[in-house]
Amino acid sequence: MILNLIRHQVFFNLLIVFSVFQAHATSQTNEPAIKSYISTEKIKGSFTISESEKTAPIYLSEEEFPGVIRVAGYVQEDLLKVTGIKPELSIGAIPSSGEIIIAGTLGASSLINELVKNQKIDVSHLVDKWESSITEVVENPFPGVKKALVIVGSDKRGTIFGLLDLSRKMGVSPWYWWADVPVVEQKNLYVKAGRYLSGEPKVKYRGIFLNDEEPALGRWAVKNYGGFNHEFYEKVFELILRLKGNFLWPAMWWASFNSDDPQNPVLADEMGIVMSTSHHEPMMRAHAEWKPYGGKDWNYETNPEQLRKFWKEGIQRMDNHESVVTLAMRGDGDMAMSAGTNVALLEKIVADQRKIIADVTGNPITKTPQVWALYKEVQDYYDNGMRVPDDVTLLLCDDNWGNIRKLPRTYAKLRSGGYGIYYHFDYVGGPRNYKWLNTSQLPRVWEQMHIAYEYGVDRIWLVNVGDLKPMELPISFFLDYAWNPDKLPAERLPEYTIQWAAEQFGAEHADEIAEMLDLYTKYTGRRKPELLSPETYSLNNYMEAEKIVKDYNQLAKNAEALGSKLQARYKDAYYELLLHPVTACANLNELYYAAAKNKQATDQGRATANDWAEKVKQLFQKDADISNYYNTQLAGGKWDHIMDQTHIGYTYWQQPEKNKMPEVKEISLHGKAEMGVSIQGFDGFKTEGEFEKRLPEIDNYNQQSVYIDVFNRGFQPFDFQITCPDSWLLSTLVSGKVDKESRIWLSVDWSKIPEGKQFASVIIQQIGGKEVTVRLVVNNQVIPELKSFNGFIESDNVVAMEAEHFTRNVSAKGISWKVIPGLGRTLSAVTVFPVTAAAQVPGRNCPHLEYDMYLFHSGEVKVNIQLSPSLNYFNDEGLKIAVSFDDQQPNILAFNKDDKLGKWDKWVSENIINVSSEQRLGTAGKHTLKVWMVTPGVVLQRIVIDCGGLKPSYLGPLESKRN
């Protein structure tokens, strides 16, 4: 339904609907503002922005904040882009005629104050509000002025957001510069009569962290700006504001925001960007400043006086700029403090820092916003009893891989400083760096940040975005969601990507683009590119590796086909936001597949070994070519260095110095032909004799096909023939010539096969040579009760089920399981809502999911539960779930109480936690698996019942047949 609607909506309607996700709400009713205020047609009472090659002038008072005036200049340029006419921007002039745009901040603008005094506008919704705005069409606001579009903010940023919201609704994407998104021209633009309220943001500080900025963003900034100076940061600040953010941790690997360019903090304060410093840079000092400062030991026990002096100067330099001061201390170079560091010492450091702040500012310490980041080992200090004063914001953190480590209890004492979250879309560290491309799945970001918000974390939301590009989509989502999480429930997640795509590319292809964006991040989220190897996906089981490559290449093909349909003006933006990451990752996955096939072929002496080696070389060169195009040709070379990040050839957590091609081997073939045979589900091969292992079982309910590979181990081609003694067993080939290799598929003619379990053999013979025998089992069971059965059916001794395909969803006590669309490695996920619900005792009146299935086996079975890698964020007994069959007693599974490094490495590398339960079934036949809620926060993705047939693979078997 949604997709059909979108296909027929015009571009501007989609842009207007997009504003819902910015969560406009009135301060009194908390109801969403009217969705639409921009129109391309004149409506009675509407305000004319542009018509007949005339554009309404913009007026601001001379007392207005300089940052608002600067942003009004952005809007002036936006109107030029949209309408082709640049409006007049007047500062301090008193308007006297026509239709005009008036923008100003309550209490600062004489124009706004005059309108309030004359009761032309009602600003009661803005009084004492944070970053709120009203956009209203006002009749006869001043003598001689027929009509005005008035944009008034409760504070500086409120006015800025109101102005930029107008630009966004006119069709100027926040990514117009950073992703080269074109602006659609509209000669006639109007604002419908009415009053439009933004409401307050639900999260006070919303921002990004530019980090891990070498070799990409750093080299790009040096080439284009000479470094991270105010010219560079103006582009960053503008983007943050257009996305309704307000907070920044600046680049810091080698840069110092405040000292590299003294205009940096001045510009930030002017534009309303709240500055802070990263988790290991206290007191507004960049770590890059320490050595040039003459800093000796970064150790408060041995060098306290120099550190206090260093920090004091940081606070003095902060002046009155709006800032959040980072407190405490970590080891030198983003490392842990020494082993002997104790809680008492850290508490003294914080106390001394707060004294410096109070002394320098001359204000009560509670008037200066401060934050303590519980990052990595710092959380251990908190867990061991360290506390900071109540007015300090506790910045809770994820594990650097998007899984939140700690949350406050719902019954925890309220803190005046509140709580924040530091999240990651990029990371340098174990088990591998991930810096190259976006691998953050929006549904997972939503799920984790939703939990944080529901547990009261709403003071700061900050995300590490690495080089900024190519994290455009998750940055948009993170900041849009932070404005008002209440306005984006799980079921509307698919809409978000559609509407984001429409904002960048128009409505016509938005649904297709969104589908590809969602698929791309699902694929990369399975395993980050830096963690891939030839061994990641199984070559032999479930056709896993082949399917991965096929799906990726199909996605790339679809992306290329759609790109050819788009107007030329979208070419660069489309490449940056979709085509590049899709084609680059498709190529990378095929590269590792080719390397795996080369190893297999080499080990088995296949004639294809050297072909696969050559394929690896070609794909490795293609990877370089793709990055080179991005750097040197895309957008006329605008983004040179942005794709410098190495991503092939990791051997441990740190990136390789340069991309290194996977190892390949070449072989010398025999002069004569020699047949080799391999079968599905088996690592080895045969040149003669009988396979000791059978092909995967075929059954009449799933009606699978299985394959045999016939390959050449020599140089000369050979002829072969296949003999199937049973007439019901079909083969795609019965004879042929093999130059290098040939795949033969076996299937069943179900109209001819006898009832019951049938054992068959297939003989593959090299003409004039040896023969190989392959055995298989075909299960043609006729079970009358299955005709009316609704549920999953066992296949090849396994039942695999996607979590959302439950038979029944049983709610209780106001708690229910709900689907989070798109979350996970294969389809979607389910979890319990509300996420703050109390723990439950499984059994009877407890929320649970039921999965009906038919098993051909009895006795011991293993229930494998696949969960998102959620962490033990209360530091207690861990998250729990329970399972049972039929009326059995539920078996409680606690899976993350112990999250030691070895386990955690596996969880985040595979982006899944597997927990198992041994269950005993007395009979074959119909059974119901029940998955019980025990604690909230458990995110269920898949269930695999192993009746003795589960084979090693990364993603597991495909979902079983479901009647």
Side-chain angles (χ1 to χ4, degrees):
M1 176 67 73
I2 293 171
L3 300 187
N4 289 335
L5 285 173
I6 286 175
R7 287 191 183 97
H8 296 94
Q9 283 177 317
V10 297
F11 178 64
F12 270 90
N13 284 342
L14 260 169
L15 293 180
I16 291 161
V17 171
F18 187 84
S19 68
V20 172
F21 295 110
Q22 300 169 51
H24 293 132
T26 68
S27 57
Q28 289 185 347
T29 66
N30 202 34
E31 289 298 317
I34 299 172
K35 297 176 184 178
S36 167
Y37 67 70
I38 288 285
S39 173
T40 55
E41 295 182 1
K42 195 165 191 174
I43 302 170
K44 183 178 179 181
S46 63
F47 173 85
T48 302
I49 296 177
S50 180
E51 184 182 67
S52 302
E53 298 187 351
K54 293 182 180 179
T55 301
I58 304 170
Y59 285 84
L60 298 95
S61 75
E62 59 186 5
E63 304 93 347
E64 186 54 72
F65 291 102
V68 173
I69 295 173
R70 181 186 292 269
V71 170
Y74 296 161
V75 176
Q76 181 187 31
E77 294 297 324
D78 292 343
L79 281 163
L80 173 60
K81 295 184 185 80
V82 174
T83 68
I85 305 297
K86 187 173 184 177
E88 179 186 355
L89 177 60
S90 297
I91 311 298
I94 299 175
S96 59
S97 63
E99 296 189 33
I100 63 173
I101 299 171
I102 300 173
T105 305
L106 186 64
S109 167
S110 58
L111 291 173
I112 298 300
N113 293 344
E114 187 72 15
L115 292 172
V116 172
K117 177 183 176 183
N118 294 331
Q119 298 184 345
K120 292 293 184 177
I121 56 173
D122 175 9
V123 294
S124 59
H125 287 99
L126 300 182
V127 176
D128 296 327
K129 298 300 180 183
W130 178 263
E131 299 180 348
S132 301
S133 67
I134 296 173
T135 298
E136 183 174 5
V137 176
V138 177
E139 301 284 346
N140 304 312
F142 293 103
V145 178
K146 178 183 177 183
K147 192 176 298 184
L149 177 65
V150 179
I151 300 171
V152 55
S154 62
D155 51 26
K156 175 171 62 178
R157 277 190 297 274
T159 311
I160 288 172
F161 292 151
L163 279 164
L164 293 177
D165 186 68
L166 176 65
S167 286
R168 196 168 182 177
K169 285 187 170 63
M170 289 190 307
V172 180
S173 166
W175 296 99
Y176 81 94
W177 192 88
W178 280 99
D180 301 300
V181 176
V183 175
V184 177
E185 291 188 11
Q186 296 289 340
K187 294 299 183 183
N188 298 327
L189 278 180
Y190 309 91
V191 174
K192 299 175 185 178
R195 173 180 168 84
Y196 309 98
L197 283 67
S198 72
E200 287 186 293
K202 293 298 181 70
V203 177
K204 186 169 186 178
Y205 298 113
R206 312 164 305 281
I208 63 175
F209 177 21
L210 301 179
N211 193 218
D212 310 327
E213 59 269 23
E214 289 294 339
L217 184 65
R219 294 306 90 202
W220 178 83
V222 168
K223 176 179 179 179
N224 289 279
Y225 298 101
F228 294 116
N229 57 25
H230 73 279
E231 293 179 328
F232 164 83
Y233 274 113
E234 182 175 359
K235 294 295 186 184
V236 176
F237 298 158
E238 180 188 346
L239 174 67
I240 292 172
L241 293 173
R242 285 182 183 271
L243 293 169
K244 299 184 79 171
N246 61 8
F247 189 80
L248 178 68
W249 279 2
M252 43 68 63
W253 267 23
W254 51 262
S256 169
F257 178 83
N258 292 292
S259 60
D260 286 348
D261 183 350
Q263 287 302 306
N264 282 345
V266 174
L267 181 63
D269 191 62
E270 175 189 309
M271 294 184 68
I273 300 298
V274 182
M275 294 303 303
S276 187
T277 46
S278 72
H279 48 78
H280 77 108
E281 298 179 298
M283 303 291 279
M284 304 304 293
R285 297 302 302 250
H287 192 74
E289 295 181 272
W290 179 242
K291 287 184 179 178
Y293 185 78
K296 297 178 182 178
D297 292 343
W298 184 262
N299 186 317
Y300 204 69
E301 289 183 294
T302 61
N303 194 24
E305 291 185 10
Q306 189 180 32
L307 282 164
R308 282 195 295 267
K309 184 173 183 290
F310 181 67
W311 293 337
K312 180 179 180 180
E313 292 173 7
I315 302 303
Q316 289 172 331
R317 184 177 60 190
M318 180 179 73
D319 198 21
N320 292 319
H321 299 159
E322 194 174 3
S323 308
V324 177
V325 180
T326 299
L327 297 181
M329 187 177 185
R330 296 188 70 222
D332 194 4
D334 196 18
M335 301 298 289
M337 299 281 277
S338 64
T341 303
N342 55 57
V343 167
L345 175 61
L346 282 173
E347 288 179 340
K348 175 174 171 50
I349 291 171
V350 171
D352 290 351
Q353 289 171 337
R354 283 167 62 85
K355 185 177 186 304
I356 291 170
I357 294 169
D359 289 346
V360 171
T361 64
N363 296 321
I365 187 59
T366 57
K367 296 298 183 182
T368 301
Q370 303 145 68
V371 64
W372 181 35
L374 304 187
Y375 182 70
K376 285 190 175 181
E377 82 291 339
V378 178
Q379 183 178 309
D380 296 336
Y381 297 121
Y382 182 84
D383 291 340
N384 289 325
M386 179 176 170
R387 294 295 181 265
V388 294
D390 193 63
D391 62 283
V392 178
T393 301
L394 292 184
L395 189 64
L396 311 174
C397 301
D398 70 356
D399 61 349
N400 303 302
W401 287 71
N403 309 301
I404 291 173
R405 294 181 64 204
K406 192 165 195 67
L407 290 173
R409 297 279 191 175
T410 53
Y411 52 77
K413 179 184 176 182
L414 295 178
R415 301 176 54 82
S416 61
Y419 297 90
I421 281 288
Y422 170 39
Y423 202 75
H424 284 76
F425 296 155
D426 162 286
Y427 179 57
V428 168
R432 290 279 170 87
N433 295 352
Y434 63 96
K435 301 170 59 180
W436 180 42
L437 295 174
N438 171 34
T439 59
S440 296
Q441 202 181 36
L442 297 191
R444 178 59 171 172
V445 177
W446 180 92
E447 183 263 331
Q448 288 288 282
M449 297 310 297
H450 172 74
I451 287 180
Y453 178 69
E454 291 298 314
Y455 277 96
V457 180
D458 61 5
R459 185 58 54 93
I460 299 172
W461 281 17
L462 173 71
V463 61
N464 186 326
V465 302
D467 298 309
L468 195 153
K469 293 180 70 67
M471 306 298 178
E472 298 93 344
L473 174 57
I475 290 172
S476 287
F477 177 81
F478 190 86
L479 295 179
D480 280 334
Y481 189 50
W483 183 268
N484 189 345
D486 296 331
K487 295 300 177 182
L488 184 54
E491 56 269 23
R492 296 187 68 183
L493 278 166
E495 293 179 47
Y496 182 89
T497 318
I498 293 171
Q499 292 164 0
W500 189 84
E503 188 176 31
Q504 318 314 320
F505 302 108
E508 183 179 1
H509 300 290
D511 53 339
E512 299 168 78
I513 293 171
E515 182 181 14
M516 288 188 282
L517 285 168
D518 288 339
L519 268 180
Y520 154 68
T521 50
K522 177 177 287 294
Y523 292 168
T524 57
R526 289 169 172 169
R527 193 171 182 90
K528 297 187 185 298
E530 293 84 349
L531 278 159
L532 289 172
S533 74
E535 297 74 36
T536 299
Y537 299 113
S538 175
L539 283 178
N540 302 297
N541 297 321
Y542 310 119
M543 297 195 66
E544 182 175 65
E546 292 181 39
K547 186 177 187 308
I548 292 291
V549 172
K550 180 181 177 182
D551 288 350
Y552 249 124
N553 285 342
Q554 185 61 54
L555 181 60
K557 182 179 178 181
N558 293 346
E560 289 169 353
L562 180 56
S564 67
K565 299 177 184 177
L566 295 178
Q567 297 178 33
R569 62 184 175 184
Y570 291 115
K571 178 181 177 182
D572 291 339
Y574 186 74
Y575 189 83
E576 293 168 48
L577 298 177
L578 178 62
L579 188 57
H580 170 260
V582 166
T583 54
C585 282
N587 182 77
L588 184 68
N589 277 266
E590 188 173 7
L591 168 71
Y592 283 114
Y593 172 71
K597 292 293 286 185
N598 169 256
K599 185 179 187 307
Q600 179 193 61
T602 300
D603 291 345
Q604 297 180 359
R606 297 193 187 201
T608 56
N610 297 348
D611 296 339
W612 285 114
E614 181 61 28
K615 184 71 171 177
V616 170
K617 295 173 187 176
Q618 293 172 0
L619 293 168
F620 184 72
Q621 181 59 48
K622 183 178 178 181
D623 177 90
D625 293 342
I626 290 171
S627 294
N628 183 65
Y629 174 81
Y630 199 115
N631 282 339
T632 64
Q633 298 179 56
L634 174 68
K638 177 180 177 180
W639 301 113
D640 193 14
H641 293 298
I642 285 294
M643 278 303 137
D644 282 358
Q645 181 59 53
T646 57
H647 49 276
I648 306 175
Y650 275 77
T651 57
Y652 69 117
W653 70 266
Q654 183 59 284
Q655 67 191 46
E657 184 177 342
K658 60 181 181 179
N659 287 328
K660 182 180 179 182
M661 189 182 80
E663 181 183 5
V664 296
K665 293 181 180 179
E666 298 183 358
I667 62 174
S668 298
L669 299 174
H670 303 298
K672 62 179 182 177
E674 181 183 17
M675 182 182 75
V677 176
S678 67
I679 63 173
Q680 183 176 346
F682 185 60
D683 290 335
F685 71 102
K686 290 280 186 182
T687 57
E688 64 176 321
E690 182 175 305
F691 275 92
E692 60 273 18
K693 187 173 182 179
R694 294 173 176 152
L695 281 161
E697 184 176 288
I698 301 173
D699 69 83
N700 56 317
Y701 293 103
N702 292 278
Q703 300 190 3
Q704 310 92 325
S705 296
V706 293
Y707 69 81
I708 297 170
D709 281 342
V710 180
F711 57 87
N712 198 348
R713 288 167 49 83
F715 185 74
Q716 297 295 329
F718 65 85
D719 294 311
F720 73 96
Q721 67 178 16
I722 294 179
T723 303
C724 302
D726 298 289
S727 62
W728 45 262
L729 188 60
L730 307 176
S731 173
T732 52
L733 287 175
V734 294
S735 63
K737 182 185 291 291
V738 172
D739 182 21
K740 292 186 177 179
E741 66 181 16
S742 181
R743 175 160 290 182
I744 295 97
W745 287 93
L746 302 178
S747 59
V748 172
D749 183 342
W750 297 100
S751 67
K752 293 182 178 181
I753 186 172
E755 185 178 331
K757 185 171 285 191
Q758 309 298 320
F759 297 87
S761 296
V762 176
I763 299 171
I764 305 100
Q765 182 181 32
Q766 179 180 347
I767 303 301
K770 300 173 182 178
E771 64 180 36
V772 174
T773 300
V774 178
R775 296 176 298 147
L776 73 158
V777 175
V778 179
N779 199 342
N780 187 29
Q781 299 185 74
V782 178
I783 303 173
E785 62 181 341
L786 278 178
K787 291 182 179 180
S788 59
F789 175 73
N790 293 317
F792 291 92
I793 300 174
E794 179 189 333
S795 171
D796 197 20
N797 304 316
V798 166
V799 177
M801 304 176 292
E802 295 293 341
E804 75 165 87
H805 290 156
F806 44 78
T807 310
R808 286 169 293 278
N809 182 347
V810 181
S811 302
K813 304 175 186 177
I815 305 168
S816 61
W817 293 83
K818 292 185 180 180
V819 174
I820 303 178
L823 195 161
R825 305 194 307 177
T826 50
L827 185 61
S828 294
V830 293
T831 191
V832 293
F833 289 85
V835 295
T836 55
Q840 301 293 304
V841 177
R844 301 197 66 177
N845 190 26
C846 175
H848 65 278
L849 301 170
E850 295 184 355
Y851 298 84
D852 290 348
M853 65 191 70
Y854 197 96
L855 301 178
F856 302 121
H857 289 78
S858 60
E860 295 291 337
V861 299
K862 180 183 280 188
V863 180
N864 297 288
I865 304 292
Q866 296 186 345
L867 308 167
S868 295
S870 307
L871 301 182
N872 184 8
Y873 45 72
F874 289 140
N875 195 29
D876 54 12
E877 294 301 307
L879 301 181
K880 298 176 184 178
I881 195 169
V883 297
S884 65
F885 270 107
D886 306 321
D887 295 325
Q888 294 175 351
Q889 183 70 22
N891 183 19
I892 297 177
L893 306 172
F895 60 89
N896 63 5
K897 178 182 178 181
D898 176 12
D899 56 0
K900 292 181 180 177
L901 187 60
K903 288 184 178 180
W904 176 85
D905 275 358
K906 182 176 175 62
W907 294 346
V908 299
S909 295
E910 298 179 355
N911 205 14
I912 207 77
I913 296 179
N914 284 286
V915 291
S916 300
S917 175
E918 300 285 350
Q919 306 287 138
R920 184 169 184 80
L921 299 175
T923 62
K926 296 178 182 179
H927 291 283
T928 298
L929 177 72
K930 299 176 182 179
V931 180
W932 303 88
M933 176 209 172
V934 180
T935 62
V938 177
V939 181
L940 175 63
Q941 293 189 20
R942 293 190 100 218
I943 305 167
V944 179
I945 312 298
D946 181 9
C947 302
L950 185 62
K951 301 173 180 67
S953 66
Y954 188 79
L955 294 176
L958 296 177
E959 188 172 33
S960 300
K961 178 179 174 61
R962 181 167 56 119
N963 279 350

